[in-house]
Amino acid sequence: MPTEKTNQNGLAASAPAAAARHAIPTYPPPESESEESWVWAQIKAEAHRDAESEPALASFLYATVLSHNSLAFSLSFHLANKLCSSTLLSTLLYDLFLQSFSSKPSLISAVVADLLAVRHRDPACVSFSHCLLNYKGFLAVQAHRVSHLLWAQHRRPLALALQSRTADVFAVDIHPAARIGKGILLDHATGVVVGETAVIGNNVSILHHVTLGGTGKAVGDRHPKIGDGVLIGAGATILGNIRIGEGAKIGAGSVVLIDVPPRTTVVGNPARLVGGKDKPARHDDVPSESMDHTSFIQEWSDYII
């Protein structure tokens, strides 16, 4: 009869009973269960599995996931420890994050949507717990959600301090006033810059070294507005108070200075519409979901030749 063994951290090691107890649910979540409770159960099951298979991580996984009662507690603890410094104490940040996530349920709803987005769109994301613990793009967006709440509450020095610390730690610089929807993927994330009056819709995917910036020293509404379902390729620069239409695709390395119609693709420096401005080629897919960066290449080549 098999017996349940435990490792030095007190976690079950390999018994079939333990494996069954911590079985990872089937994706996607059932309609009868809320996405938040399902995702949290998934994260805990994954953390149990990883702690049992890799004892070196057991203490870390217990501290960040397994010792907590909810996603809000776990995320608050993890962000506080990631962003703390000698002068910005982890206890202060933990209370700040937990109060923010607890007082505004829409924040946690957005967190869950972001977790689902990363897990669904990024083939390198092996689990929800991997995203929660290791994806700096995901963590930077969640820190921004709290700094944006502080900005709206007119606690602006603290919001700016949190923005600065997030930029230092994650190399992602998002102004606290910028508005960001849910279901956001910052893939790799390094070097992403989002200006003060920028707006990012729902279900948007953004690669590394993307800038949503202004065009100079102008004040007021001066940053891009990104529609739902947009895909922005690596190294793209979008400048000024322009609109990127719903479901548009911005090619890697493009410099966009004009409005982009919905469901179209722009490429180049300066960016031009694939198919031409009079009859731009349109696509039916949602590029932020398909993450297709190259399907336009032949059509673009034919157009520029």
Side-chain angles (χ1 to χ4, degrees):
M1 179 177 180
T3 58
E4 182 173 271
K5 300 179 181 179
T6 59
N7 59 29
Q8 60 184 350
N9 296 284
L11 293 168
S14 58
R21 187 164 63 250
H22 304 310
I24 296 172
T26 303
Y27 185 86
E31 293 182 1
S32 60
E33 189 174 358
S34 74
E35 286 187 337
E36 180 184 345
S37 62
W38 181 86
V39 167
W40 177 237
Q42 180 99 336
I43 289 169
K44 295 199 79 169
E46 292 166 353
H48 271 292
R49 175 200 63 194
D50 293 343
E52 291 169 2
S53 64
E54 184 51 79
L57 289 176
S59 295
F60 168 69
L61 291 167
Y62 182 81
T64 52
V65 175
L66 299 174
S67 64
H68 299 286
N69 295 324
S70 71
L71 178 58
F73 279 92
S74 175
L75 179 58
S76 297
F77 177 86
H78 191 45
L79 280 175
N81 281 280
K82 282 282 191 180
L83 296 174
C84 68
S85 67
S86 58
T87 53
L88 202 58
L89 301 182
S90 61
T91 51
L92 181 151
L93 290 175
Y94 175 74
D95 290 341
L96 175 65
F97 287 127
L98 186 58
Q99 182 180 21
S100 299
F101 290 129
S102 300
S103 64
K104 200 167 181 62
S106 61
L107 288 187
I108 282 293
S109 175
V111 169
V112 172
D114 293 347
L115 283 165
L116 290 166
V118 177
R119 185 72 178 94
H120 174 65
R121 298 176 208 163
D122 185 358
C125 184
V126 298
S127 66
F128 288 102
S129 60
H130 175 48
C131 176
L132 172 68
L133 298 176
N134 302 320
Y135 266 49
K136 67 179 184 178
F138 167 79
L139 293 169
V141 170
Q142 310 325 314
H144 166 74
R145 296 193 189 284
V146 174
S147 69
H148 181 71
L149 179 62
L150 294 170
W151 187 267
Q153 295 171 342
H154 301 287
R155 301 174 68 184
R156 296 188 173 180
L158 183 55
L160 291 167
L162 183 56
Q163 172 206 2
S164 176
R165 186 61 184 158
T166 302
D168 288 344
V169 173
F170 299 129
V172 176
D173 194 350
I174 307 175
H175 193 283
R179 290 181 286 154
I180 297 181
K182 61 183 183 178
I184 304 300
L185 167 61
L186 296 189
D187 197 357
H188 299 288
T190 300
V192 169
V193 176
V194 180
E196 179 180 8
T197 60
V199 178
I200 299 174
N202 298 320
N203 303 314
V204 172
S205 295
I206 299 175
L207 275 289
H208 49 288
H209 291 293
V210 164
T211 297
L212 306 182
T215 56
K217 295 177 67 176
V219 296
D221 195 356
R222 62 194 185 278
H223 295 104
K225 311 299 181 282
I226 310 299
D228 296 346
V230 169
L231 171 63
I232 306 178
T237 300
I238 305 174
L239 301 177
N241 185 16
I242 61 176
R243 296 190 175 275
I244 309 301
E246 177 182 347
K249 186 186 301 185
I250 312 299
S254 299
V255 178
V256 186
L257 304 173
I258 58 173
D259 290 350
V260 177
R263 302 282 178 171
T264 61
T265 301
V266 293
V267 186
N269 180 6
R272 291 175 289 175
L273 286 160
V274 172
K277 64 181 180 180
D278 295 326
K279 292 184 178 180
R282 296 182 180 271
H283 50 260
D284 296 324
D285 69 324
V286 179
S288 67
E289 296 281 347
S290 68
M291 298 295 288
D292 179 2
H293 294 268
T294 61
S295 61
F296 62 86
I297 288 178
Q298 184 59 51
E299 190 170 2
W300 174 246
S301 300
D302 294 342
Y303 169 68
I304 61 176
I305 291 173

